[in-house]
Amino acid sequence: MISSKHLLIKSIYQEKVDRTPIWIMRQAGRYLPEYLRTKEKAGGFMGLIRNPELACEVTLQPLKRYPLDSAILFSDILVVADMFNMSLRFEEKKGPIFDNPIRTEKDLNKLPIDLDVTKLSYVNQTINNIKDELKDNLPLIGFIGSPWTVATYLVEGNSTKKFTHIKSMLKNNTILLKNVLNMITKGSIDYVKQQIENGVDAVMIFDTWGSLLSKDEYYNFSLKYINEIISNINTKVPIIYYSRTTSNFDTLKNMNIDCVGISSENNLQAVYELLDKKISLQGNFDVRFLKSDNKVIKSEIVKTLDSFPYDTGHIFNLGTGITPDIDPDKVSYLVDTVQELSSK
Ligand code: CP3
C-alpha cells in the first residue's frame, strides 16, 4: 500500500523508493546568512519562534537553496514550557535559560495544574503558513522533546553539560522527578495533538539526553513517558524517535515508533539488525565531514550509504544538528551527492 506520495514518508514506512530521501537537522539555522538576517529582524531566536510569518519564512529558507525532501517546523522543543508558565529565554553562546528552574516540590507546586495548550497557538499559525506555502509538494515534520530531555532543561535551568540537579533528583527524589515528567507528558500530549490537527505530516520526538540513563532508567524515566504520549495520539502519523544513545537499542523494539534517528557513533546496519529490520532509520552522517573538501565528503557519503545495504528504510540525515560553522555550499554538495549516488 502506498501511504503517501512523499519519499520521506515512504522510506519511513519501508516502502519502495527510487532514491534515499534527505533532510538535515537544524536545516534552518545559523549557518545560513538569510537565517541570521531574519533572526535579527525578529529581535532574536524567541522573537523568531513566536512570529508565525517569520518562523514560516525561515522554515522555507533551506528549501529554496537545496532540493531537500522535507521541511521541519521552525520552533524549539522547549516552547512546551509556555504551558507551565515557565519563561524561556535564549542567550547568545549560552543557549536556553529558565530563570526559575524546578528543583523542589515547592517550585513544582507553583506551576499551573490545568495546562492550557492555546498558549502555543502561535505554533498552529506557523504550521498553517508553512503548509500553505508547501502546497503538499513536500511533507512537514512537527516535533516535541521527550519528557526526560525537556525535564533536563526545566530542572537544570540551562544548557549544562554536567546535569548535576537532574542526576541528583534521579537519585534522591524520584517522586518529584516523576511528577515533573508527568506534567511534561500531559502538556506534550495536548501540544503534539494540536500540531497533528494543524497538519504536520510526521512527528519527531527528540530524546537527546536519554543517553544519560542506564538501561532500566532509560525505560522508566524516558521511554515509558514517550509511550504514553504515543498511545494518546489517535491519528495515524509516522513517528520518528531521535536517540543519541549508543546502546539499549533493543529496548526500542516494543515501542510504537516507525523510525529511529541515530547519531554518528552508531552504525546503520548494526542498529537496523538490532531492531530486526522492522523500524526504519534516519541518520547518521557526521557533521564534521562537512568541513572537509568535496572528495572526502563524497567518500564519507558512500560509506554512510553503504552502511545501509537495503532497498528502503533509510532517511539520510546528519547524526546531530548542523552547526553554525558549516559553509552552505557544502550542504548543497551533500544533498546533490546523496540524491545522485542513492538513485537506483
Ligand atoms: O531542526 C530544525 O531545523 C527545527 C528546529 C529545531 C530547533 N531546535 C531550532 C533551534 C529543533 C527540532 C530543535 C530541537 C532541540 N532544541 C533539541 C533536540 C535536538 C538536539 O539538538 O539535540 C534541543 C536539546 C533543543 C534545545 C536547544 N535549542 C538548545 C540546547 C539550544 C542551544 C544550542 C544550540 O544549538 O544553539 C537551542 C537553540 C536553537 N534551536 C537554535 C535553533 C535554530 C539556534 C538558536 C539561534 O539561532 O541562536
Side-chain angles (χ1 to χ4, degrees):
M1 188 193 80
I2 303 289
S3 56
S4 164
K5 64 174 182 170
H6 300 303
L7 217 49
L8 174 91
I9 312 291
K10 285 186 181 178
S11 272
I12 291 178
Y13 286 138
Q14 298 170 298
E15 290 169 14
K16 210 170 159 287
V17 282
D18 299 333
R19 61 164 177 81
T20 306
I22 174 171
W23 70 276
I24 290 165
M25 287 191 278
R26 298 265 171 109
Q27 61 193 24
R30 287 161 294 185
Y31 72 107
L32 293 178
E34 59 271 35
Y35 169 82
L36 296 175
R37 284 195 296 272
T38 312
K39 181 169 111 174
E40 172 108 35
K41 195 158 101 186
F45 180 62
M46 288 311 294
L48 187 52
I49 288 183
R50 295 192 201 281
N51 181 321
E53 279 73 42
L54 297 180
C56 170
E57 184 182 308
V58 292
T59 300
L60 303 174
Q61 285 171 349
L63 308 174
K64 294 201 169 118
R65 278 187 183 247
Y66 318 115
L68 292 157
D69 293 299
S70 187
I72 178 159
L73 168 69
F74 188 81
S75 185
D76 197 87
I77 62 166
L78 300 178
V79 299
V80 69
D82 285 0
M83 290 171 80
F84 318 138
N85 289 348
M86 288 180 73
S87 70
L88 168 65
R89 59 191 179 85
F90 273 80
E91 266 181 32
E92 239 17 86
K93 307 239 146 52
K94 277 202 189 149
I97 297 178
F98 290 103
D99 291 316
N100 299 302
I102 309 170
R103 303 273 168 77
T104 62
E105 274 83 3
K106 209 170 144 218
D107 295 331
L108 182 65
N109 291 339
K110 282 189 215 146
L111 307 182
I113 296 172
D114 293 320
L115 305 178
D116 178 8
V117 75
T118 64
K119 292 199 168 136
L120 289 162
S121 41
Y122 59 93
V123 181
N124 300 343
Q125 194 53 54
T126 304
I127 294 172
N128 287 310
N129 292 349
I130 300 168
K131 290 291 291 180
D132 283 351
E133 295 283 337
L134 292 176
K135 301 188 175 58
D136 211 29
N137 289 321
L138 281 182
L140 174 64
I141 300 171
F143 65 89
I144 52 169
S146 77
W148 165 258
T149 292
V150 172
T152 64
Y153 294 93
L154 298 189
V155 171
E156 295 297 332
N158 57 40
S159 223
T160 162
K161 292 280 172 292
K162 293 205 191 93
F163 302 99
T164 321
H165 300 285
I166 191 106
K167 281 185 177 166
S168 148
M169 203 183 278
L170 181 64
K171 204 160 153 237
N172 304 315
N173 197 348
T174 51
I175 296 186
L176 175 60
L177 179 56
K178 287 186 175 180
N179 286 335
V180 173
L181 292 168
N182 278 323
M183 172 185 75
I184 303 170
T185 301
K186 209 166 136 217
S188 303
I189 289 170
D190 291 346
Y191 180 42
V192 78
K193 279 183 163 172
Q194 184 175 274
Q195 290 186 34
I196 295 167
E197 277 161 23
N198 280 278
V200 301
D201 301 281
V203 167
M204 184 145 163
I205 302 174
F206 286 93
D207 196 14
T208 308
W209 301 120
S211 53
L212 296 174
L213 299 165
S214 71
K215 190 167 184 158
D216 286 347
E217 289 168 346
Y218 184 44
Y219 182 78
N220 290 320
F221 294 92
S222 187
L223 301 184
K224 202 175 106 182
Y225 295 90
I226 295 173
N227 280 338
E228 195 179 328
I229 296 173
I230 295 174
S231 67
N232 274 282
I233 300 179
N234 35 31
T235 325
K236 183 64 197 148
V237 283
I239 311 268
I240 309 169
Y241 169 73
Y242 175 70
S243 146
R244 260 171 79 176
T245 184
T246 47
S247 49
N248 298 335
F249 282 106
D250 53 323
T251 329
L252 302 179
K253 270 191 226 174
N254 300 323
M255 289 180 72
N256 204 358
I257 50 179
D258 305 291
C259 179
V260 179
I262 66 172
S263 60
S264 311
E265 300 88 71
N266 298 289
N267 174 277
L268 287 166
Q269 182 168 14
V271 175
Y272 200 54
E273 282 173 11
L274 275 174
L275 296 171
D276 302 331
K277 302 184 193 163
K278 291 203 174 106
I279 305 179
S280 55
L281 293 183
Q282 178 173 277
N284 68 344
F285 192 81
D286 193 330
V287 64
R288 286 175 304 181
F289 295 133
L290 294 178
K291 290 187 225 167
S292 319
D293 58 48
N294 288 355
K295 222 174 121 207
V296 174
I297 297 176
K298 186 169 186 174
S299 81
E300 292 299 333
I301 292 172
V302 170
K303 278 191 215 162
T304 302
L305 288 172
D306 285 353
S307 73
F308 192 87
Y310 312 97
D311 285 341
T312 181
H314 179 213
I315 295 102
F316 203 102
N317 205 315
L318 305 180
T320 52
I322 190 165
T323 46
D325 53 355
I326 301 302
D327 175 353
D329 289 344
K330 298 287 182 186
V331 177
S332 186
Y333 183 76
L334 173 76
V335 176
D336 290 346
T337 310
V338 167
Q339 296 191 346
E340 184 197 317
L341 293 180
S342 68
S343 289
K344 302 193 172 93

